[in-house]
Amino acid sequence: MDAEPSTQNFDVVIAGGAMAGATLALAIEQLTQAGLSVAVVEATIPDNSHPGYDARSIALSYGSCQLLDNIGVWKTLSPFATPISKIHVSDRGHFGLTEMNAREEGLDYLGNVIELADAGRVFHHALGKAKNISLFCPAFVTDIKREIDSVTLTLNDGKALTAKLVVAADGALSSCCDMVGIERHEHDFEQVALIANVTTELAHQGRAFERFTETGPVALLPMSEGRSSLVWCVKPHEAPAMLSMSDDEFAQALQQAFGWRLGRLLHVGQRGSYPLILRQATRLISHRFAVVGNAAQTLHPIAGQGFNLGLRDVVSLAEEIAKAHADGKDCGQMPVLQSYLARREPDRDTTVAMTSGLVHGFSNTTAPLILGRNLGLAAMSVFSELKAPLLKRAMGLVER
C-alpha cells in the first residue's frame, strides 16, 4: 500500500500561475528578498510553439510596465513587447475624435502590447529560476480546508499543501472562490468580442485605435511583425455569421466598420470569440484568503483596463504581504488582508464604473447621447485638462 503523501508547508499558496498569479509570486519573491516560501499551482503548461496569427494579446499600460519593472520582470518581457506611441479614439460616422500621444506627454510610450504566449513563457521561466517559489504544474486545487492559523489545500494528484495565506488567481470562474463561498455578481453587456490578428497595408507605427460603432467598439492594437491585434465587439446574434465568414468577407466587413486609417486590411488570422460579461467577486478577502486578477473582476475590454487593474491588485497585495513579513507578522492575518482591501476598493470601483459607463455610453444610439459623446471627444482633443483623467487611467497612473 502506498504511504499517505506528506504535506508540504508554504507561507503563501497561489492558485493560478498565469499572468496575475505568476506576477504575484515574483513580486513576493522580490519584495521579501525570497524571505517567504511561495507555491504556485497552475493547470496549463505553456506551449512553446509560436502561434503567430492565432495569438491573443494584452495591452499593458505605462503604469503596469513600471510596476513590472519594480519587481524585476519587465527586463525579460520588454523584448517581446510592441510599444504604443499613440492612442486614437473615434466614433464611426460622427465628428468626435481624440488622440493621446506619448511624445506630447514626454514619455517613451503610453503602454505596450504583448502576446500572452510570449508572456506565459517568460513568466514560467522566471518562476522556475526563483529561489523560494515552487511550481506545481500541471495541477489544480480540488479542496480547501481552513483552520484558525493555516489553510490546507488538496491537489488533483492527492498532494497536500498548507499555507498561512491562499490567493485565488484562477480566472474569471474561480473554483477556489466557489470552494470558500465567495459569490460573484455578473452583468451581461450583451456583446461578443471577436478576436483575431490582422495585417494592414500601412504600418501601424505603434498606433492603437479604438473606434466606436453601432454594435460596439472596434480596437486595433499594434503588434510585432507589422500585425495588429483586433478586438471587435458585436451583438451576440451577429457573432456566428461573422465567425463563419470567409477571411475576405470578414476583412471587408471590418474595413467598413474600422475605416481606412491603416489602408487596406490584407490578412486576417484565425478568429476567436468570447461573451462580454462583467464579473466581480462579492468579496476580495476572507479568512486567510485573498482574490486577485480576473478572479476578482473581469472587465469589458473597451479601455484595455482588465489586466492592468488586476496587476495593481497583485502588486498592492504583494506589498502588504512584504510589509507584514518585514514586521515579523503572519502574512495571512486579517489586518494584512484588510489593508489590501482598503487600498484596492476605490480604484476597483472607479475603473469598473468607467469601463461600464463607456460601454453603455458608446453603444447607445440615441441622438442626444451621440451628440454629447462626440462633443466630449472633440473637446478632449482641444482641452488637455479634460483628457487628463482619462489619459491617466488609460496609462495606469492610478493611486493604489
Side-chain angles (χ1 to χ4, degrees):
M1 226 171 94
D2 288 339
E4 280 290 301
S6 61
T7 300
Q8 291 175 261
N9 301 315
F10 296 93
D11 293 302
V12 182
V13 174
I14 301 165
M19 287 200 49
T23 310
L24 177 60
L26 295 165
I28 293 169
E29 170 104 350
Q30 173 83 5
L31 297 174
T32 65
Q33 273 118 38
L36 290 174
S37 57
V38 178
V40 176
V41 181
E42 168 54 39
T44 318
I45 298 171
D47 182 3
N48 285 317
S49 61
H50 192 287
Y53 279 100
D54 312 330
R56 285 185 307 142
S57 295
I58 198 160
L60 298 170
S61 68
Y62 179 85
S64 291
C65 299
Q66 301 297 104
L67 290 180
L68 290 169
D69 198 30
N70 295 347
I71 59 166
V73 176
W74 182 242
K75 204 179 259 102
T76 44
L77 268 181
S78 58
F80 301 99
T82 304
I84 299 172
S85 58
K86 281 185 184 169
I87 300 173
H88 187 283
V89 183
S90 60
D91 198 359
R92 180 172 178 243
H94 303 287
F95 63 85
L97 72 89
T98 190
E99 229 179 35
M100 304 174 199
N101 187 325
R103 196 176 298 136
E104 283 172 15
E105 304 303 321
L107 299 169
D108 294 335
Y109 53 76
L110 295 171
N112 277 275
V113 180
I114 190 153
E115 290 178 51
L116 286 177
D118 289 330
R121 284 192 294 275
V122 167
F123 278 108
H124 205 72
H125 183 66
L127 290 175
K129 274 184 20 188
K131 277 196 199 114
N132 213 354
I133 299 174
S134 303
L135 181 59
F136 294 83
C137 177
F140 57 90
V141 177
T142 56
D143 186 53
I144 299 174
K145 280 201 171 55
R146 295 186 286 178
E147 313 276 325
I148 290 175
D149 292 331
S150 66
V151 187
T152 303
L153 297 98
T154 308
L155 306 188
N156 57 309
D157 58 4
K159 283 195 183 89
L161 314 179
T162 70
K164 298 280 184 209
L165 174 65
V166 172
V167 183
D170 54 343
L173 299 170
S174 166
S175 60
C176 287
C177 285
D178 294 342
M179 284 177 219
V180 300
I182 292 180
E183 295 176 349
R184 60 186 77 87
H185 289 312
E186 294 196 353
H187 169 72
D188 191 337
F189 288 113
E190 292 170 18
Q191 291 180 355
V192 170
L194 306 179
I195 54 172
N197 293 337
V198 302
T199 305
T200 54
E201 182 182 14
L202 302 179
H204 56 60
Q205 297 174 312
R207 289 174 295 170
F209 295 87
E210 180 112 56
R211 188 159 175 73
F212 295 99
T213 74
E214 294 76 24
T215 60
V218 179
L220 277 177
L221 298 172
M223 286 173 73
S224 61
E225 298 159 25
R227 298 167 301 154
S228 291
S229 170
L230 168 72
V231 180
W232 187 0
C233 304
V234 299
K235 299 284 180 215
H237 66 86
E238 298 169 325
M242 294 177 78
L243 286 167
S244 61
M245 284 176 177
S246 72
D247 285 357
D248 285 348
E249 288 169 336
F250 186 82
Q252 275 182 319
L254 177 58
Q255 189 90 64
Q256 200 176 353
F258 176 72
W260 294 82
R261 290 181 199 280
L262 289 173
R264 187 174 295 284
L265 299 171
L266 301 178
H267 179 87
V268 177
Q270 186 180 319
R271 283 162 263 159
S273 70
Y274 57 93
L276 295 177
I277 297 167
L278 169 67
R279 292 190 173 96
Q280 282 180 283
T282 51
R283 289 177 294 154
L284 293 185
I285 61 170
S286 178
H287 176 66
R288 296 199 173 274
F289 192 91
V291 190
V292 296
N294 280 348
Q297 64 273 315
T298 311
L299 306 186
H300 191 288
I302 191 164
Q305 291 291 312
F307 176 71
N308 297 296
L309 177 62
L311 186 63
R312 299 198 291 273
D313 290 345
V314 158
V315 177
S316 301
L317 179 58
E319 285 168 354
E320 292 303 325
I321 290 169
K323 188 166 170 287
H325 173 67
D327 295 343
K329 291 180 181 159
D330 174 343
C331 66
Q333 284 189 320
M334 204 35 108
V336 177
L337 302 181
Q338 279 165 333
S339 295
Y340 161 63
L341 180 65
R343 287 178 63 180
R344 295 310 305 136
E345 276 195 321
D347 177 20
R348 184 185 193 227
D349 293 347
T350 307
T351 305
V352 168
M354 182 199 82
T355 51
S356 300
L358 280 172
V359 177
H360 294 301
F362 275 97
S363 49
N364 196 310
T365 50
T366 60
L369 252 171
I370 290 174
L371 179 64
R373 72 187 181 221
N374 277 277
L375 287 172
L377 284 175
M380 273 189 197
S381 59
V382 180
F383 302 111
S384 56
E385 60 271 22
L386 282 176
K387 194 194 299 181
L390 184 66
L391 180 63
K392 269 193 147 161
R393 199 153 281 279
M395 288 172 59
L397 300 175
V398 181
E399 284 280 316
R400 33 166 212 95

